[in-house]
């Protein structure tokens, strides 16, 4: 985890450092800032130092929990604490939706390979994968939010569970289709496996064979995808937050990129990297629960 964290943050900081333009010069707009003020800001944010010195200052800030201030004087930690819970709640809601419905539909389709339901969900999943997220979001806003008036069209600055429900569904659509197809394929492979035939020969009921043997072994590749997808949902929320006017990580990142605030950009990106790393660690630990061979080894 440590080498991945250091490598990812170094790469992110390098990309931001190589960004064209001078963020300090752009703070004053068309009139610009006096040269003395610009030098003061550069010294405050270590922008007058070489790249690796700036990166070491950034690492020091992470380990000492001193992330510095934005160009407007607001602490970066305060910005992160305000934006992260909203995006994390949105990502967890989307993860729950895609996991429950994706595994359920995939299991049902895999156990009925070649039948009408199986063909229907394959077409539906292909359609959801092909549709861009912003198209799905705009369609649901018009149909569900405006015409049917079931859910709020936008979430606003202080969203609750109901206002985040539609954005979570939009965010989960593509991953739901992928989990559905992955679960279906894995179930079809395991249904004809030798251990399933042995379980049936021992007289186990269909439900026990499906839940204890087919589904449990089919979840191993699905869990891998879900673990990685948590980070993808947080990055994918940038588009969804823009559509539904949510003040989360996506909106904060967009504004920071426009202003050239490298500290805010890298800090938000580092949080997403940490989510990726922790999620993959949890996936590795879940392997031992799902696969007895790993646990016994």
């Amino acid at each position: 985890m440590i080498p991945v964290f250091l490598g990812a943050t170094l790469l992110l900081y390098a990309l931001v450092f190589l960004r064209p333009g001078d963020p300090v010069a752009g703070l004053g707009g068309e009139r610009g800032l006096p040269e003395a003020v610009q030098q003061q800001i550069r010294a405050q944010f270590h922008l007058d130092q070489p790249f690796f010195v700036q990166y070491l200052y950034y690492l020091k800030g992470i380990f000492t929990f001193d992330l510095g201030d934005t160009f407007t004087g607001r602490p970066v930690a305060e910005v992160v604490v305000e934006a992260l819970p909203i995006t994390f709640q949105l990502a967890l809601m989307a993860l729950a939706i895609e996991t429950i419905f994706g595994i359920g539909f995939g299991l049902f389709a895999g156990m009925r390979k070649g039948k009408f339901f199986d063909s229907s969900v394959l077409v539906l999943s292909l359609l959801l994968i092909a549709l861009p997220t912003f198209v799905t979001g705009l369609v649901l806003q018009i149909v569900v939010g405006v015409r049917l008036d079931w859910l709020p069209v936008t979430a606003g600055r202080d969203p609750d569970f109901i206002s985040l429900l539609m954005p979570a569904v939009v965010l989960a659509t593509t991953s739901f289709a992928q989990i559905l197809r992955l679960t279906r394929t894995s179930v079809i492979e395991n249904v004809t496996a030798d251990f399933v035939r042995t379980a049936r020969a021992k007289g186990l009921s269909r439900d026990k064979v499906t839940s204890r043997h087919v589904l449990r072994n089919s979840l191993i590749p699905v869990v891998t995808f879900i673990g990685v997808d948590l980070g993808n949902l947080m990055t994918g929320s940038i588009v969804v937050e823009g559509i539904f006017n949510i003040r989360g990580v996506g909106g904060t990142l967009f504004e920071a990129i426009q202003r050239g605030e490298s500290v805010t950009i890298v800090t938000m990106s580092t949080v997403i990297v940490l989510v990726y790393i922790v999620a993959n660690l949890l996936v590795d630990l879940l392997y031992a629960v799902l696969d007895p061979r790993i646990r016994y080894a």
Side-chain angles (χ1 to χ4, degrees), residues 117-138:
F117 181 82
D118 181 35
S119 302
S120 300
V121 296
L122 284 178
V123 174
L124 174 63
S125 62
L126 187 61
L127 178 64
L128 292 177
I129 292 175
L131 281 176
T133 305
F134 67 89
V135 174
T136 308
L138 293 175

Side-chain angles (χ1 to χ4, degrees), residues 126-273:
L126 187 61
L127 178 64
L128 292 177
I129 292 175
L131 281 176
T133 305
F134 67 89
V135 174
T136 308
L138 293 175
V139 170
L140 285 182
Q141 278 183 323
I142 295 173
V143 176
V144 179
V146 177
R147 295 189 177 180
L148 299 178
D149 196 22
W150 287 350
L151 294 171
V153 177
T154 59
R157 298 184 63 88
D158 190 18
D160 55 9
F161 179 82
I162 298 299
S163 59
L164 287 177
L165 188 56
M166 191 191 304
V169 171
V170 174
L171 187 60
T173 51
T174 302
S175 298
F176 156 75
Q178 293 172 342
I179 291 177
L180 187 155
R181 297 175 75 91
L182 187 60
T183 305
R184 173 188 175 274
T185 302
S186 188
V187 167
I188 291 174
E189 292 177 355
N190 287 315
V191 161
T192 57
D194 293 337
F195 62 88
V196 175
R197 293 197 187 99
T198 303
R200 289 172 178 167
K202 289 181 178 180
L204 291 179
S205 64
R206 178 184 175 90
D207 292 339
K208 289 185 177 180
V209 171
T210 302
S211 60
R212 293 183 181 180
H213 298 280
V214 177
L215 179 60
R216 187 170 182 175
N217 286 276
S218 300
L219 286 180
I220 295 176
V222 178
V223 167
T224 305
F225 176 84
I226 292 173
V228 177
D229 193 50
L230 180 59
N232 293 334
L233 290 174
M234 294 193 66
T235 55
S237 65
I238 296 176
V239 177
V240 176
E241 288 178 6
I243 297 174
F244 292 92
N245 192 27
I246 301 173
R247 183 67 177 181
V249 172
T252 306
L253 265 176
F254 182 75
E255 292 182 359
I257 291 172
Q258 286 184 318
R259 291 193 296 263
E261 293 182 356
S262 58
V263 177
T264 307
I265 297 171
V266 179
T267 301
M268 289 293 188
S269 303
T270 302
V271 170
I272 297 174
V273 169

